[in-house]
């Protein structure tokens, strides 16, 4: 299935050279999503006598991680509910969260004034539910009011959006933009101010002591390393604290004057949907996202079909122009993890589905620390905070799940299938000649066989039929059929395997 997002399909391309040779700098940023690019821009604009020399390495192209696969909404609240922060940390911390996030949205608005049009606009955020979930909307209204948000009660929801069976919450003066266009334009601004950007430069190894990151074509040694990679690379304590989920999205061809009007719409019924519009040139789209599930556990195709059916139910038989999906990592105690951790590197993760704003908060906090200032909010979100009272239950649940997954996978027998019998487009975990293979035969007949053991800490990978990838249920690493890393904490590829099939002249040999 083609899984190019509507953002990536409608934004300008980039074109930075691959890293070549060994270089040194003051700050190395690994990752060209909103976190890495915003940090690059903030550091590059320093006009001091000795501005930091900054290098940004991106494994693929700017924005092609989660940023270019999000839904492009900017808001001061949290999609899983501000009341979670208020319940775990108290009203004062909820107020601080809103204030930091509001400042970050204002910062994005200011940056957008300096960039070519990236679709920034102010709009309301509307939340509603079915009768069964009305109480949650009511509690959220109270949490937002207590945190000083401009929230009001709405009267109804315009068709064709799913109807409200209770209260409607309207949060004024939130925003939207085109996330891919934003990071591409911001990266260009950072590069023009002196930041060196390399694309197609995946970091394969990090020597934390020597502060050196190695790619296939060179290395960067830096005074400070920032892992703006969504999930930090390698083994970190935070991986044991964060549940990882994937969510699906699609864009429907839409008509200019059809409702809904501008706004971010969150339907929080038994089924969840996040809905918004997009205008790109003279084309109009309606974007729907939903069907969140744990990575590597459910059938991905079923998730995408369920989302399409839901969209069809409310919005009719409109052509689906784009389908995509993306991953989120949630902090166990409802806050992200931002700052220097035990490895000596900076990390920025645990954003849930609120990371366009959290990523901007993270970039601002890390830039401030690198430039010698530290805010009180940085202490609240520091990675080593480990708050067992606040996050304990969900940390425990997450680790029980990981252990269960490990045990289940090692006890589950592989499919009794022959590698040679694998049809085009099929995948299977196969036992052959005393070895286990994660095998996939591409539509053109090429057979890919890799080890099913995730190179992060050894869970077994599962097939993702929508994105043609091997996904790890433990901490969310994902791999292409040839074993190369797509995302997640793993640094090394799945081991390529020689199979009896390959020995007989298969083109993948
Ligand atoms: C379906 C969905 C919808 C969402 N919608 C919203 C929304 O509307 N609003 C919102 O605020 N948040 C949203 N989010 C969350 C948000 O998109 C993310 O939290 C945010 O984009 C994370 O940005 P980032 O820069 O930290 O990570 P990313 O954008 O993932 O960037 C990380 C980059 O690091 C690169 N990288 C990884 N490994 C390496 C390596 N070894 N070497 C070099 N580079 C590497 C990757 O290629 C990638 O480009 C959504 C999330 C999902 C799943
Ligand atoms: S992502 Fe941690 S074991 Fe696979």
């Amino acid at each position: 299935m083609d899984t190019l997002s509507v953002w990536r399909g409608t934004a300008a391309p980039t074109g930075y050279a691959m890293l070549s040779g060994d270089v040194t700098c003051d700050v190395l940023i690994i990752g060209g999503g909103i976190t890495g690019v915003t940090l690059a821009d903030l550091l590059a604009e320093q006009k001091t006598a000795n501005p930091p020399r900054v290098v940004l390495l991106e494994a693929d192209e700017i924005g092609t991680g989660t940023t270019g696969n999000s839904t492009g909404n900017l808001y001061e609240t949290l999609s899983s509910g501000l009341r979670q922060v208020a319940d775990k940390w108290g009203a004062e911390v909820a107020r601080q969260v809103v204030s930091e996030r509001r400042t970050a949205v204002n910062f994005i608005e200011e940056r957008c004034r300096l960039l070519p049009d990236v679709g920034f606009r102010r709009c309301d955020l509307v939340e509603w539910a079915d009768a069964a979930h009305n109480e949650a909307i009511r509690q959220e209204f109270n949490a937002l009011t207590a945190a000083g948000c401009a929230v009001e009660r709405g009267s109804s929801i315009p068709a064709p959006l799913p109807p409200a069976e209770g209260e409607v919450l309207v949060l004024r003066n939130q925003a939207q933009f085109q996330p891919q266009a934003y990071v591409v334009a911001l990266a260009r601004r950072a590069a023009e101010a002196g930041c060196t950007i390399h694309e197609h430069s995946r970091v394969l190894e990090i020597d934390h002591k020597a502060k050196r990151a190695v790619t296939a074509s060179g290395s960067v040694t830096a005074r400070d390393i920032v892992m703006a990679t969504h999930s930090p690379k390698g083994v970190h304590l935070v991986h044991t604290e964060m549940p990882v989920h994937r969510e699906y999205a699609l864009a429907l061809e839409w008509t200019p004057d059809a409702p809904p009007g501008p706004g971010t719409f969150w339907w929080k019924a038994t089924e969840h949907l996040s809905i918004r519009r997009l205008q790109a040139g003279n084309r109009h789209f309606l974007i729907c996202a939903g069907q969140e599930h744990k990575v590597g556990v459910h059938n991905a195709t079923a998730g995408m079909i369920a989302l399409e059916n839901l969209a069809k139910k409310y919005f009719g038989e409109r052509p689906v122009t784009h389908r995509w999906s993306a991953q989120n990592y949630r902090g166990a105690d409802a806050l992200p993890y931002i700052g220097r951790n035990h490895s000596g590197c900076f990390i920025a993760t645990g954003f849930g589905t609120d990371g366009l704003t959290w990523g901007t908060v993270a970039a601002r906090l890390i830039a401030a620390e690198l430039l010698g200032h530290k805010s009180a909010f940085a202490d609240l979100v520091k990675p080593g905070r480990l708050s067992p009272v606040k996050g304990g239950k969900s940390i425990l649940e997450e680790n029980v799940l990981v252990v269960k997954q490990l045990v289940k996978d090692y006890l589950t027998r592989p499919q009794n299938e022959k590698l040679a019998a694998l049809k085009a487009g099929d995948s299977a975990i196969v036992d052959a000649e005393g070895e286990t293979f994660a095998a996939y035969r591409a539509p053109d007949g090429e057979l890919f066989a890799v080890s099913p053991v995730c190179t992060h800490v050894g869970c077994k990978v599962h097939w993702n039929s929508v994105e043609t990838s091997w996904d790890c249920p433990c901490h969310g690493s994902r791999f292409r059929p040839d074993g190369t890393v797509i995302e997640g904490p793993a640094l090394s590829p799945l081991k390529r395997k020689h199979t009896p099939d390959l020995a007989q002249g298969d083109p993948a040999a």
Side-chain angles (χ1 to χ4, degrees):
M1 187 183 289
D2 180 3
T3 52
L4 186 73
S5 74
V6 70
W7 315 113
R8 292 172 58 201
T10 57
T14 49
Y16 299 97
M18 188 186 281
L19 174 69
S20 166
D22 302 320
V23 300
T24 57
C25 65
D26 295 311
V27 182
L28 166 62
I29 301 167
I30 308 175
I34 196 162
T35 308
V37 167
T38 308
L39 178 59
D41 178 57
L42 284 166
L43 295 177
E45 75 174 2
Q46 294 306 309
K47 296 281 179 273
T48 53
N50 261 333
R53 290 164 304 144
V54 184
V55 174
L56 186 152
L57 296 180
E58 164 53 46
D60 195 332
E61 289 171 6
I62 296 296
T64 54
T66 321
T67 298
N69 289 294
S70 64
T71 32
N73 297 313
L74 304 166
Y75 40 84
E76 61 201 32
T77 182
L78 299 172
S79 54
S80 54
L82 187 69
R83 67 189 182 285
Q84 283 199 11
V85 176
D87 289 350
K88 287 177 197 283
W89 294 88
E92 178 47 34
V93 170
R95 253 193 304 274
Q96 287 176 40
V97 164
V98 164
S99 161
E100 280 302 313
R101 289 178 57 83
R102 187 181 293 156
T103 305
V105 176
N106 292 343
F107 169 87
I108 292 172
E109 183 173 27
E110 280 162 26
R111 280 296 185 264
C112 287
R113 287 200 195 107
L114 307 173
L115 302 174
D117 183 19
V118 296
F120 184 94
R121 65 176 173 192
R122 287 283 175 179
C123 61
D124 292 341
L125 184 155
V126 184
E127 294 187 44
W128 74 105
D130 51 15
H133 298 85
N134 191 36
E135 178 56 20
I137 300 289
R138 208 183 53 75
Q139 286 175 11
E140 190 58 12
F141 185 90
N142 293 340
L144 290 169
T145 307
C149 298
V151 61
E152 293 169 18
R153 289 201 161 84
S155 48
S156 64
I157 293 294
L161 294 170
E165 293 174 2
E167 298 198 28
V168 176
L169 172 168
V170 183
L171 186 56
R172 300 288 184 206
N173 203 31
Q174 306 307 299
Q176 295 178 331
F177 67 168
Q178 209 289 25
Q180 177 73 11
Y182 177 72
V183 285
V184 167
L186 200 59
R188 184 137 330 275
R189 193 181 117 93
E192 282 164 9
C195 171
T196 306
I197 298 180
H198 296 290
E199 293 182 316
H200 304 290
S201 302
R202 177 176 293 283
V203 170
L204 302 170
E205 210 184 303
I206 301 171
D207 181 338
H208 294 283
K209 245 189 174 160
K211 295 270 166 62
R212 183 166 177 266
V214 179
T215 73
S217 55
S219 73
V220 181
T221 306
R223 192 188 64 216
D224 281 296
I225 297 182
V226 180
M227 285 196 260
T229 47
H230 204 198
S231 172
K233 308 304 283 186
V235 180
H236 299 265
L237 189 62
V238 291
H239 292 134
T240 64
E241 303 178 21
M242 295 188 296
V244 193
H245 292 88
R246 278 195 92 68
E247 197 175 329
Y248 300 95
L250 49 86
L252 307 174
E253 196 89 60
W254 209 242
T255 28
D257 44 1
T264 296
F265 299 96
W266 288 347
W267 182 48
K268 294 188 162 179
T270 307
E271 304 263 22
H272 277 216
L273 270 187
S274 168
I275 304 154
R276 63 162 285 187
R277 305 182 58 128
L278 165 71
Q279 179 174 1
N282 54 10
R283 293 187 74 186
H284 293 260
F285 303 93
L286 188 79
I287 296 165
C288 305
Q291 297 295 322
E292 185 180 83
H293 69 75
K294 248 197 92 55
V295 173
V297 174
H298 290 281
N299 180 325
T301 303
M304 184 56 92
I305 289 172
L307 179 62
E308 287 199 42
N309 286 339
L310 208 54
K312 209 177 285 177
K313 177 172 168 189
Y314 291 103
F315 308 119
E317 298 274 353
R318 302 274 184 150
V320 178
T321 58
H322 299 79
R323 298 175 175 82
W324 69 98
S325 88
Q327 200 145 298
N328 72 68
Y329 304 80
R330 256 179 231 294
D333 56 13
L335 292 179
Y337 305 94
I338 301 166
R340 211 188 283 275
N341 79 350
H342 68 277
S343 71
C345 296
F346 285 87
I347 67 167
T349 190
F351 297 158
T353 46
D354 309 310
L356 297 175
T357 302
W358 274 138
T360 306
V361 170
R364 287 163 56 82
L365 292 177
I366 295 171
E369 192 165 339
L370 286 168
L371 298 169
H373 327 284
K374 206 172 168 189
S375 76
F377 195 76
D379 270 341
L380 196 60
V381 293
K382 68 181 179 210
R385 65 182 178 267
L386 195 63
S387 48
V389 177
K390 302 176 182 77
K393 186 160 169 277
S394 95
I395 292 171
L396 197 67
E397 280 167 0
E398 190 52 21
N399 282 297
V400 166
L401 219 123
V402 168
V403 172
K404 268 192 191 160
Q405 197 62 49
L406 269 166
V407 173
K408 179 174 147 277
D409 282 345
Y410 278 95
L411 293 181
T412 307
R413 284 205 51 73
Q415 281 168 250
N416 195 10
E417 229 179 296
K418 293 258 184 310
L419 274 175
L422 211 58
K423 292 196 197 77
D426 280 356
S427 68
I429 303 283
V430 176
D431 259 354
E433 305 206 332
E435 279 204 87
T436 308
F437 302 90
Y440 167 69
R441 195 178 288 282
D444 66 2
E446 185 174 9
L447 179 69
F448 295 93
V450 293
S451 162
V453 180
C454 174
T455 56
H456 181 224
V457 290
C459 291
K460 278 200 184 163
V461 294
H462 291 231
W463 185 244
N464 173 340
S465 50
V466 167
E467 289 158 292
T468 324
S469 60
W470 293 105
D471 296 358
C472 181
C474 287
H475 314 105
S477 290
R478 298 181 53 241
F479 305 86
R480 295 199 174 85
D482 68 359
T484 50
V485 179
I486 301 173
E487 66 179 308
L491 275 162
S492 314
L494 295 176
K495 228 164 123 200
R496 284 295 285 270
K497 290 219 170 191
H498 289 280
T499 68
D501 218 15
L502 302 182
Q504 285 163 24
D506 188 282

